[in-house]
Amino acid sequence: MLNRVRSAVAHLVSSGGASPPRPKSPDLTNATSAPPAAAPETPKSPPARPGSGSGASAKTVEARASFSRPTFLQLSPGGLRRADDHAGRAVQSPPDRGRRLPWSTGYAEVINAGKSRHNEDQACCEVVYVEGRRSVTGAPREPNRDQGLCFYYWGLFDGHAGGGAAEMASRLLHRHIREQLKDLVEILQDPSPPPLCLPCTSGTPDSSDSSHLIGSQSCLSSQKEVTHESLVVGAIENAFQLMDEQMAQERERRGHQVEGGCCALVVVYLLGKVYVANAGDSRAIIVRNGEIIPMSREFTPETERQRLQLLGFLKPELLGGEFTHLEFPRRVQPKELGQKMLYRDQNMTGWAYKKIELEDLRFPLVCGEGKKARVMATIGVTRGLGDHNLKVCSSTLPIKPFLSCFPEVRVYDLTQYEHCPDDVLVLGTDGLWDVTSDCEVAATVDRVLSAYEPNDPSRYTALAQALVLGARGTPRDRGWRLPNNKLGSGDDISVFVIPLGGPGSYS
Amino acid sequence: MLNRVRSAVAHLVSSGGASPPRPKSPDLTNATSAPPAAAPETPKSPPARPGSGSGASAKTVEARASFSRPTFLQLSPGGLRRADDHAGRAVQSPPDRGRRLPWSTGYAEVINAGKSRHNEDQACCEVVYVEGRRSVTGAPREPNRDQGLCFYYWGLFDGHAGGGAAEMASRLLHRHIREQLKDLVEILQDPSPPPLCLPCTSGTPDSSDSSHLIGSQSCLSSQKEVTHESLVVGAIENAFQLMDEQMAQERERRGHQVEGGCCALVVVYLLGKVYVANAGDSRAIIVRNGEIIPMSREFTPETERQRLQLLGFLKPELLGGEFTHLEFPRRVQPKELGQKMLYRDQNMTGWAYKKIELEDLRFPLVCGEGKKARVMATIGVTRGLGDHNLKVCSSTLPIKPFLSCFPEVRVYDLTQYEHCPDDVLVLGTDGLWDVTSDCEVAATVDRVLSAYEPNDPSRYTALAQALVLGARGTPRDRGWRLPNNKLGSGDDISVFVIPLGGPGSYS
C-alpha cells in the first residue's frame, strides 16, 4: 500500500497495540482454535520511518510495538529478522514440514522495499468453532443435534500509517464473526426459513400471524423471506463494524490508540458456501478451469467518488471550509476565477463546464487518478478498519467520517460446481495486484500447478510463492525489477491460495 | 406504472400544464425540428379517477388538461378517441403511409385497462440540430467547418399521479439536451482532448501549464483526461436536472404546478455513439444477433434502498418523526417491543437481528417487494422528473428529497460492430417489462423480423406492435389475458424499436 497515507502518520499517536484487548461485550478473549499472535512483551523503538514527519513524539515512538508476523509462519527469531529485512526481501511461507494450513492453503509474503519500517500486512488462517447460545428460537432442543458450527477463515489485512490496526484485526476479526454467528447456530442448521422475529428471553413466543399487522397498504402487509445466506452476510458486516468500534474504544479502555488503519479481505467458508468480504483495495479472484471469476472490487477515492461527494454535500461541516465536494480534472488556480472549468458533482458520471467561483479554489475532497487518488489529499483507500485518529495534514479535520468500515460481501456456492484440484481462490494485497493482472495470475496458476502432482499439497504454497516472487521481481539496476524490466512492487505483498477442490479442501 | 402512487394524488394540485412554459434561461421555446405537441386550448375536467381520493378539489379537477398523444401518431379526433378507449385498448402506431420516424423506428402504444383516466405514457422521437455558440475555446473558427451538430433522439416518459410531467418532459427534455450541447459543438468536433478550462468571454485564454499548480502533493498536481463521450454524458445528466428544475419553477412562473411525475428513458445518438439515459423503471435492451445487452437498470425502492436509507440516516429531519430508516422484513407490531427482529440499515446487504425499540414501530422508509415496494408507503419509483408536490398520504411530509432526477447513462459505440437489420434497441415502459422478460422480447424480435424482408421499413413497427400486443393480451375471463392465461399488463404500454443496422439507421 505504497505511499497510501501521506504525512498523515504525523498525526497519529501510535501504540503498543500488541496484546489482545479486553472488550466489554462480546467477550472475544474466550478461546477459539486461534492461538494468540506472538505478542512482544518488550516494546522496542523502531527508527522513525521516512516521511513519518517529526510530529511523532519520542514517547509515541517508544510506545510502538515491535513487529510480529502471522503465527502460522512459525518463524524463529532468526526467521523473524529475515522476514523484516528490506534488503533481502526473502519470501516467507509456512514450513513445509509439520501441520499444514487448513485445506492445504498456500501462503506467501514479502516485506516492502523500504516504504515502512516493518511489513504492515498481516494474515490469519483459522478453523473456528461456533458454539450456539441456548435456544434462541424458543423451540425445544433436539437432544442429539450437534449444537455447534465450524467455519474456515482466511484474512488478509493491509495496514497503513502503522501496523497496529492490521495486527489487531488479524487477531480479532474472526472472533467478532464467531460472536455474530453464535445466535444463528440453531437457525442456520434448520432448513426452514429463518424466523423474522425471535421471542425475548423472558418472553412470549413470536406470533408470525400477519393478520395483526398495522396498515392496510399492500406494501406494509407484505412479508419478506430472508435467506440463511443473507444472515451470514449480515453477521460478517456487523462483525466488521464491531471490530472497527473496538479499535476506537481502545483508547478509553487501555489509554492508547490503535495505530493506523488497514484494509481487510476476509473469506469465510460455512455450510457449503464461500463468503468473500472486502473493505479496501485488496482483491480476490477465483480461477476455475482457467476462467477468472472476480470475487471482490476495490474501494478507492475513484470507485467511491460519488459516495464521498454526496456525504460532503449533505454534511458540508465535514469539509471544514477547507475542501470542496466538487471534482475538477486538475487543481483550479486563483487566476482562473470566472473562467469555465470541467467539474462533476455527486450526481454525475460525466463532466460539464462550470464558471469557477471562489469556493472552487478550495482543495478538492477527491483528487488524483489510479494509485495517486486521494481523499482530502491524504488517504488512498476509502474502506477499512481503524484510522480513527487520521487527520488532514496540517489540520485537525478528521477523515474517518468519509471512510466506511463495511465490506462488500460476495457469495460463491461451492456445491454448484464440481471443482478440480487446479481450481483456486487467490487473495492478494495490492502489492500483488499493482503489478499483476488477473490474467497473469491465472496464467501463473496454470503454469505452477501443472508442474505438480494434483494431490501434492505443497503445490498451493509453491503457487503463492510464485505469485509473490513475480510481483516482487529481482534486484537489478538499483531497484526490484520484473523480467520485462518494469519496476516490481515495492509494497508489502501477501497472497493466499485457497484450493477449492484440492486435497483436504472443505472436508 | 400500475398503482405506483397510492393515494398521493390526493395531495397534488394538478394543472393544465399543456402549453409550453417560458423558461427564463435557457430559452427552450426556440424552434428545433420538434413540432409543438397538440396543446389543448380548452382544459376539460376528466372524471375523478378511482383511488384519487376526495382531497382533490373541484377546482383542481377542472384545471386538469385533456390528454394528448405523441404528435408523430398523427391521430385524427376519432383516432384520439380510440386511443383513449380503455375498453378496446387498440394498439396505436404511426400511420404506415407518409413520413416514417427517423431510422425507420418502430413505435406502438396502448392505453391502460382503467387505472387512470388517460394514457399517462408519452413519447418523443426527433432529429435535433444543435447550433454552436460563438467560439467557446477562444480559437479562431475555421471558415469552412460546419458549425452545427445533429443528434437523433427518442424518449419514453411514464407518468404517474397525472400526465402533466410526462407531457412536459416529452416536449422539452430534448431541448434541454440541445442547450447543454450548444457549448460543446466545437469541442466535440475537434479530435483533440477537450480543454479542461475555457477562457471567460472577456478573458485571458486558459494556460494549461500545470507548473503553477498549488500544492506539491502528487494527487494535486495530476491532471485527468476527460473524453468527448463523458462530456455528452454530463450534458444529458444536467439536462435532466434542468428539466426537473423547470417543472418546479412552473408554479412561480405561471401560477400552476406540473401535475405528477414521470420516469424518463431517453436515447441520444451523436457522433457514432448511442447514449441511453434512464431515470425510473422503464428499460432498454439491445438485441444483437440474438444476444441480449442490457442498456439500463431500474431505479426502485428495492434497487436504491441503501441510497434512500443513507439519506434518511444523515438527514433524519426528512423522516419527520414518522418513519424509520431501518428496513424490517415485515411491519413491526407494538406487542413485539423488546423482542428481536431481522433488520438491515444503509450499510448492510445482509440481515441481522436487533432488539425492537420504540422508534422501530415507525413506518419504514422503504417497504414491500417487487412491484409493491414503496418509499414512504407512497411511490414505487425512486428516480424521475417532477413529483415536486408529492407528499406522504395524510401528512405534509415531502417525498421529493428522496427522489433523484439524475439518470444513469450507458454508452454503446455503434461503430464497434457491424450491425445487421435484425439488430435492434428496444425501449419499453414497465407496462411491457412487467409481463415480458428480456428473453421473450428477444424471441419476439427474431420471430417478427424474420417474417419480413430485411429492407422492409415497416418491420420495426410490426415488431413494436407485436411486443405491445404480447404484453396487453386479449380480453377473456373478465380480464386482459396472455396465451398462458396469466393476466396481461393493465398498465399503459409504450415501445420503441430502434434498428441499429436497418435501412436508414444512422445515415
Side-chain angles (χ1 to χ4, degrees):
Chain A
M1 204 176 290
L2 190 61
N3 199 20
R4 170 151 313 137
V5 179
R6 194 199 43 70
S7 312
V9 71
H11 297 273
L12 288 168
V13 183
S14 52
S15 73
S19 48
R22 291 168 308 186
K24 268 181 234 155
S25 164
D27 180 9
L28 302 179
T29 57
N30 228 327
T32 64
S33 65
E41 295 301 317
T42 325
K44 75 176 189 190
S45 75
R49 87 190 73 155
S52 68
S54 55
S57 70
K59 196 177 165 191
T60 304
V61 172
E62 271 171 27
R64 190 177 292 149
S66 69
F67 84 116
S68 71
R69 299 312 310 147
T71 327
F72 60 68
L73 286 177
Q74 302 172 43
L75 292 174
S76 65
L80 202 59
R81 274 193 301 277
R82 278 190 297 280
D84 199 29
D85 172 20
H86 297 278
R89 297 189 82 190
V91 175
Q92 309 295 321
S93 280
D96 209 23
R97 65 190 183 281
R99 195 163 61 98
R100 292 192 180 282
L101 291 178
W103 293 18
S104 301
T105 296
Y107 175 81
E109 64 164 52
V110 74
I111 193 171
N112 63 78
K115 70 149 202 163
S116 64
R117 174 71 187 86
H118 296 299
N119 186 340
E120 292 182 347
D121 284 3
Q122 291 292 347
C124 179
C125 179
E126 294 290 342
V127 185
V128 183
Y129 179 72
V130 191
E131 192 174 7
R133 292 195 223 277
R134 58 189 165 49
S135 179
V136 288
T137 57
R141 284 196 159 193
E142 291 173 35
N144 293 330
R145 180 180 275 179
D146 180 11
Q147 300 299 341
L149 272 179
C150 252
F151 68 88
Y152 290 80
Y153 174 87
W154 299 260
L156 280 187
F157 305 92
D158 182 349
H160 50 255
E167 198 189 321
M168 188 171 175
S170 72
R171 282 186 290 107
L172 294 176
L173 181 54
H174 56 292
R175 300 186 189 192
H176 279 289
I177 294 174
R178 184 192 58 178
E179 280 304 310
Q180 293 299 306
L181 289 174
K182 273 187 178 171
D183 275 343
L184 305 176
V185 165
E186 206 179 339
I187 293 164
L188 294 175
Q189 289 179 104
D190 184 340
S192 52
L196 304 185
C197 190
L198 302 176
C200 44
T201 42
S202 61
T204 359
D206 168 40
S207 151
S208 283
D209 179 3
S210 62
S211 65
H212 298 284
L213 290 177
I214 296 161
S216 60
Q217 296 91 340
S218 60
C219 82
L220 292 173
S221 60
S222 74
Q223 181 160 320
K224 272 193 181 171
E225 199 161 296
V226 172
T227 61
H228 289 91
E229 181 180 304
S230 69
L231 291 190
V232 178
V233 172
I236 294 171
E237 290 170 330
N238 279 341
F240 270 67
Q241 185 177 31
L242 290 165
M243 182 73 250
D244 192 56
E245 282 174 8
Q246 192 186 352
M247 289 180 180
Q249 288 160 0
E250 273 303 276
R251 182 157 58 168
E252 280 174 49
R253 288 206 182 110
R254 301 172 63 87
H256 65 66
Q257 291 173 7
V258 174
E259 191 194 6
C262 69
C263 299
L265 171 60
V266 150
V267 173
V268 170
Y269 171 77
L270 178 66
L271 297 169
K273 287 178 179 167
V274 173
Y275 299 81
V276 181
N278 187 45
D281 65 357
S282 297
R283 187 188 297 171
I285 64 169
I286 284 174
V287 182
R288 190 182 73 185
N289 196 19
E291 183 199 356
I292 294 159
I293 305 169
M295 289 304 296
S296 68
R297 64 184 167 109
E298 287 89 74
F299 296 97
T300 68
E302 286 192 299
T303 64
E304 294 218 280
R305 172 184 61 84
Q306 287 180 281
R307 176 180 76 75
L308 301 166
Q309 289 184 308
L310 178 65
L311 193 55
F313 174 76
L314 292 174
K315 297 267 186 193
E317 64 273 21
L318 297 177
L319 302 172
E322 298 179 37
F323 290 88
T324 167
H325 75 286
L326 297 182
E327 187 192 12
F328 299 94
R330 65 164 168 78
R331 194 71 202 286
V332 181
Q333 303 168 50
K335 67 171 185 177
E336 293 168 329
L337 264 175
Q339 296 183 22
K340 281 182 169 182
M341 193 180 237
L342 287 172
Y343 82 102
R344 43 183 187 176
D345 67 17
Q346 67 280 358
N347 295 306
M348 299 168 72
T349 58
W351 295 84
Y353 290 98
K354 86 178 282 290
K355 197 171 168 183
I356 297 169
E357 293 161 279
L358 207 55
E359 63 186 29
D360 299 328
L361 294 176
R362 294 176 183 166
F363 278 79
L365 173 62
V366 175
C367 68
E369 274 186 297
K371 294 303 283 183
K372 289 183 178 173
R374 290 290 179 279
V375 181
M376 292 177 146
T378 303
I379 186 166
V381 279
T382 51
R383 299 212 187 186
L385 304 166
D387 287 318
H388 293 278
N389 313 303
L390 190 64
K391 304 279 192 299
V392 173
C393 186
S394 315
S395 161
T396 57
L397 204 60
I399 295 174
K400 182 68 176 173
F402 289 96
L403 307 178
S404 168
C405 64
F406 279 87
E408 182 191 70
V409 186
R410 298 194 183 181
V411 188
Y412 180 82
D413 190 341
L414 269 189
T415 66
Q416 292 297 299
Y417 189 90
E418 187 89 17
H419 292 91
C420 77
D422 287 4
D423 297 336
V424 290
L425 171 57
V426 177
L427 316 183
T429 52
D430 65 340
L432 172 69
W433 304 105
D434 285 349
V435 296
T436 324
S437 70
D438 292 3
C439 288
E440 287 166 337
V441 166
T444 306
V445 168
D446 181 49
R447 178 173 56 81
V448 175
L449 294 187
S450 62
Y452 286 76
E453 290 297 321
N455 61 354
D456 180 348
S458 69
R459 64 206 303 257
Y460 306 109
T461 299
L463 174 52
Q465 289 169 338
L467 289 169
V468 168
L469 271 171
R472 184 203 68 176
T474 46
R476 183 158 35 93
D477 299 341
R478 288 181 302 176
W480 293 86
R481 292 197 180 269
L482 307 180
N484 62 12
N485 217 38
K486 285 188 181 162
L487 279 175
S489 173
D491 202 355
D492 303 314
I493 311 168
S494 308
V495 171
F496 270 127
V497 174
I498 306 172
L500 300 179
S505 57
Y506 56 105
S507 52
Chain B
M1 204 175 293
L2 190 60
N3 201 21
R4 171 152 310 139
V5 180
R6 189 201 46 70
S7 311
V9 69
H11 296 274
L12 290 166
V13 183
S14 52
S15 72
S19 47
R22 290 169 307 185
K24 268 183 235 155
S25 164
D27 179 10
L28 302 178
T29 55
N30 228 328
T32 64
S33 65
E41 295 303 314
T42 325
K44 76 178 189 186
S45 75
R49 87 190 74 155
S52 67
S54 54
S57 69
K59 195 175 168 192
T60 305
V61 173
E62 271 172 26
R64 189 176 294 150
S66 68
F67 85 116
S68 72
R69 299 311 311 148
T71 327
F72 60 69
L73 286 176
Q74 301 172 43
L75 292 173
S76 65
L80 204 60
R81 274 194 300 278
R82 278 191 297 280
D84 198 30
D85 173 20
H86 298 277
R89 296 188 83 191
V91 175
Q92 307 296 320
S93 280
D96 209 21
R97 67 189 179 281
R99 194 163 61 98
R100 292 194 181 279
L101 291 178
W103 293 17
S104 301
T105 296
Y107 175 82
E109 63 163 54
V110 73
I111 193 172
N112 64 79
K115 71 149 201 164
S116 64
R117 175 70 188 86
H118 297 298
N119 186 341
E120 293 182 347
D121 284 0
Q122 291 293 346
C124 179
C125 179
E126 293 293 340
V127 185
V128 183
Y129 178 72
V130 191
E131 192 175 6
R133 292 196 224 276
R134 59 189 164 49
S135 179
V136 288
T137 58
R141 285 197 158 193
E142 292 172 34
N144 294 330
R145 179 182 274 180
D146 181 11
Q147 300 299 339
L149 273 178
C150 249
F151 68 88
Y152 290 80
Y153 173 88
W154 299 260
L156 280 186
F157 305 92
D158 182 349
H160 51 255
E167 198 188 322
M168 188 171 174
S170 72
R171 279 185 292 106
L172 295 177
L173 181 55
H174 55 292
R175 300 187 189 191
H176 279 287
I177 294 173
R178 184 192 57 177
E179 282 302 312
Q180 293 300 305
L181 289 174
K182 273 186 179 173
D183 275 342
L184 305 176
V185 166
E186 206 179 338
I187 293 164
L188 293 175
Q189 290 178 104
D190 184 340
S192 52
L196 304 184
C197 190
L198 302 176
C200 46
T201 41
S202 60
T204 357
D206 168 39
S207 150
S208 284
D209 179 4
S210 61
S211 66
H212 299 283
L213 289 178
I214 295 162
S216 62
Q217 297 90 343
S218 61
C219 82
L220 292 172
S221 60
S222 73
Q223 179 160 319
K224 274 195 180 171
E225 199 161 293
V226 171
T227 61
H228 288 93
E229 181 181 305
S230 68
L231 291 189
V232 178
V233 171
I236 295 171
E237 289 171 330
N238 278 341
F240 271 66
Q241 185 178 31
L242 289 165
M243 181 74 249
D244 192 57
E245 281 174 9
Q246 191 185 356
M247 289 179 179
Q249 288 160 359
E250 273 302 276
R251 183 158 57 170
E252 280 174 47
R253 289 205 181 109
R254 301 172 63 88
H256 65 67
Q257 291 172 5
V258 175
E259 191 194 4
C262 68
C263 298
L265 170 60
V266 151
V267 174
V268 170
Y269 171 77
L270 178 66
L271 297 169
K273 288 178 178 167
V274 173
Y275 299 80
V276 181
N278 186 45
D281 66 356
S282 297
R283 186 186 299 170
I285 63 170
I286 284 174
V287 182
R288 190 182 74 183
N289 197 20
E291 182 199 357
I292 294 159
I293 304 169
M295 288 303 296
S296 68
R297 64 186 170 108
E298 286 88 74
F299 296 96
T300 69
E302 286 191 299
T303 64
E304 294 218 281
R305 172 184 61 83
Q306 288 179 282
R307 177 180 75 76
L308 301 165
Q309 288 183 307
L310 178 65
L311 193 55
F313 174 76
L314 292 175
K315 297 266 186 194
E317 65 272 21
L318 297 177
L319 302 172
E322 298 180 36
F323 290 88
T324 167
H325 75 286
L326 297 181
E327 187 190 12
F328 299 95
R330 65 165 168 75
R331 193 70 203 283
V332 182
Q333 304 168 50
K335 68 170 184 179
E336 291 167 330
L337 263 175
Q339 296 183 23
K340 282 182 169 182
M341 194 179 236
L342 288 172
Y343 82 102
R344 43 183 186 175
D345 66 18
Q346 67 281 358
N347 296 306
M348 300 168 70
T349 59
W351 295 84
Y353 290 99
K354 86 178 283 288
K355 196 170 170 184
I356 297 169
E357 292 161 279
L358 209 54
E359 65 185 30
D360 299 328
L361 296 175
R362 294 176 183 166
F363 278 79
L365 173 62
V366 175
C367 67
E369 276 185 295
K371 293 304 284 183
K372 288 181 177 172
R374 291 288 179 279
V375 181
M376 293 177 146
T378 303
I379 187 165
V381 279
T382 50
R383 298 212 187 185
L385 304 166
D387 287 319
H388 293 279
N389 314 302
L390 190 64
K391 304 280 191 298
V392 173
C393 187
S394 314
S395 162
T396 57
L397 203 60
I399 295 173
K400 182 69 177 173
F402 289 96
L403 308 177
S404 168
C405 65
F406 279 88
E408 183 192 68
V409 186
R410 298 195 184 180
V411 188
Y412 180 82
D413 189 342
L414 268 188
T415 65
Q416 293 295 303
Y417 189 90
E418 187 91 12
H419 293 90
C420 77
D422 287 6
D423 297 335
V424 290
L425 170 58
V426 178
L427 316 182
T429 52
D430 65 340
L432 171 68
W433 303 106
D434 285 349
V435 297
T436 323
S437 69
D438 292 3
C439 287
E440 287 166 337
V441 167
T444 307
V445 168
D446 181 51
R447 178 174 56 79
V448 175
L449 293 188
S450 62
Y452 286 77
E453 290 297 319
N455 61 354
D456 180 347
S458 68
R459 64 207 301 258
Y460 306 108
T461 300
L463 174 52
Q465 289 170 337
L467 289 169
V468 168
L469 271 171
R472 183 202 70 177
T474 46
R476 182 157 38 91
D477 299 340
R478 288 181 302 176
W480 293 86
R481 292 195 183 269
L482 307 180
N484 62 11
N485 218 38
K486 285 189 179 161
L487 278 176
S489 172
D491 202 355
D492 303 314
I493 311 168
S494 308
V495 172
F496 270 126
V497 174
I498 305 172
L500 300 180
S505 57
Y506 56 105
S507 52

